[in-house]
């Protein structure tokens, strides 16, 4: 199983950015892919989740600003972020698990290497 994130960048507040996570070696049926983020000195927090069936969930802090989607082959999960704020600055990770989606990093066994998002 391999997860590879891309798309991190430095942007200004109010701008948009899209992150991608390519998932390989993990059948999409019954699978959940989540985006987490971790800022320096803070715990890793869930941002958004998407199940192979299509159900999504979002952290309250990003509802209305972020969307999560997966392509037709369900190998790429995209996190579209708009109206970015300085507090969105963090390293963003995608992660995968079997079964239902949960908003806790503890339950995810597969992780990408992370991609940096900086909002000034």
């Amino acid at each position: 199983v391999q997860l590879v994130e891309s798309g991190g960048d430095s942007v200004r507040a109010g701008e948009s950015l899209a992150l991608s996570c390519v998932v390989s070696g993990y059948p999409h049926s019954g699978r959940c892919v989540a985006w987490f983020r971790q800022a320096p000195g803070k715990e890793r927090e869930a941002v958004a989740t998407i199940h192979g069936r299509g159900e999504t969930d979002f952290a309250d802090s990003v509802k209305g600003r972020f969307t999560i989607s997966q392509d037709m082959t369900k190998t790429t999960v995209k996190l579209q972020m708009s109206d970015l704020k300085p507090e969105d600055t963090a390293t963003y990770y995608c992660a995968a698990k079997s079964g239902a989606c949960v908003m806790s990093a503890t339950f995810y066994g597969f992780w990408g290497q992370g991609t940096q998002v900086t909002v000034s």
Side-chain angles (χ1 to χ4, degrees):
V1 178
Q2 188 174 23
L3 295 88
V4 180
E5 306 99 331
S6 63
D9 203 351
S10 295
V11 298
R12 295 186 177 184
E15 293 185 340
S16 299
L17 192 64
L19 306 181
S20 292
C21 173
V22 177
V23 183
S24 58
Y26 205 147
H28 63 79
S29 178
R31 174 202 75 195
C32 176
V33 175
W35 282 96
F36 288 83
R37 66 186 181 187
Q38 188 167 20
K42 295 188 176 181
E43 292 188 358
R44 191 167 296 190
E45 62 174 354
V47 175
T49 65
I50 185 165
H51 194 271
R53 295 186 301 266
E55 299 99 335
T56 60
D57 196 10
F58 298 89
D60 288 343
S61 59
V62 305
K63 281 180 180 176
R65 300 189 297 122
F66 290 13
T67 61
I68 188 170
S69 61
Q70 54 195 356
D71 66 1
M72 290 295 290
T73 63
K74 301 183 181 179
T75 56
T76 301
V77 175
K78 179 180 174 182
L79 182 69
Q80 179 67 50
M81 307 182 291
S82 54
D83 190 23
L84 283 162
K85 306 174 186 295
E87 51 264 42
D88 294 317
T89 295
T91 300
Y92 284 69
Y93 300 88
C94 66
K97 66 179 293 291
S98 297
C101 289
V102 294
M103 301 288 272
S104 172
T106 303
F107 296 93
Y108 289 81
F110 301 97
W111 292 83
Q113 81 288 349
T115 187
Q116 178 67 36
V117 173
T118 303
V119 185
S120 60

